[in-house]
């Protein structure tokens, strides 16, 4: 009984505060609260929707590039690639190590030229898929 009473009280309050927030947004284009909260929502959405259940912090960006496998390190869990430029990341061509799962490492051999997709975040650069040229 008490709960249902509280619910009926809470629901209109929530609706009212949402309506007020909507009014504020419409009438004031530079609302400090909105600009503070927006980036967090934008950062978190792609992680939940697109990305694998990896431990990551901050924003995750997806990129793809072509490269030649120069080293596969099972112990470190990495594939080193001599890769071309990645405009999406504003990366120049370079040789660097990417994190890669055993499944992905098994798909390539040193000397292979591959097209690969990866995710870049604070946690590192993880290859998510590879295809041989
Ligand atoms: Cu690189």
């Amino acid at each position: 009984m008490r709960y249902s009473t509280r619910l009926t009280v809470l629901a209109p309050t929530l609706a009212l505060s949402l309506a007020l927030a909507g009014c504020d947004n419409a009438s004031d284009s530079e609302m400090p609260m909105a600009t503070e909260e927006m980036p967090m929502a934008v950062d978190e959405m792609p992680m939940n929707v697109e990305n694998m259940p990896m431990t990551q912090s901050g924003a995750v960006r997806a990129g793809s590039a072509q490269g030649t496998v120069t080293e596969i390190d099972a112990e470190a869990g990495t594939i080193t690639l001599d890769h071309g430029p990645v405009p999406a990341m504003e990366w120049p061509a370079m040789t660097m190590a990417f994190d890669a799962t055993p499944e992905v490492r098994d798909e390539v051999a040193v000397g292979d030229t591959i097209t690969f997709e990866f995710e870049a975040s604070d946690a590192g650069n993880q290859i998510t898929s590879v295809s041989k040229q």
Side-chain angles (χ1 to χ4, degrees):
M1 288 304 192
R2 277 189 162 178
Y3 288 119
S4 62
T5 308
R6 286 187 66 186
L7 271 177
T8 52
V9 173
L10 274 175
T13 310
L14 189 65
L16 182 63
S17 55
L18 286 174
L20 283 173
C23 283
D24 287 345
N25 277 331
S27 61
D28 189 353
S29 57
E30 285 191 336
M31 212 175 65
M33 275 174 63
T35 49
E36 272 176 38
E37 287 172 23
M38 283 292 273
M40 289 180 69
V42 170
D43 281 352
E44 283 170 8
M45 287 288 272
M47 277 210 300
N48 295 333
V49 174
E50 280 178 24
N51 296 302
M52 306 288 101
M54 296 182 294
T55 44
Q56 293 163 331
S57 58
V60 178
R61 294 182 300 163
S64 66
Q66 290 189 346
T68 302
V69 179
T70 62
E71 190 182 344
I72 299 170
D73 189 332
E75 214 165 292
T78 58
I79 296 174
T80 302
L81 288 159
D82 184 358
H83 72 77
V86 188
M89 303 285 178
E90 296 181 353
W91 286 0
M94 70 180 100
T95 301
M96 65 186 279
F98 289 84
D99 296 327
T101 62
E103 290 75 22
V104 168
R105 294 201 305 272
D106 282 349
E107 289 185 55
V108 300
V110 170
D112 282 351
T113 299
I114 61 171
T115 298
F116 62 101
E117 293 179 3
F118 63 96
E119 292 172 345
S121 72
D122 291 348
N125 303 301
Q126 173 92 28
I127 294 179
T128 54
S129 72
V130 296
S131 61
K132 290 189 190 184
Q133 295 284 284

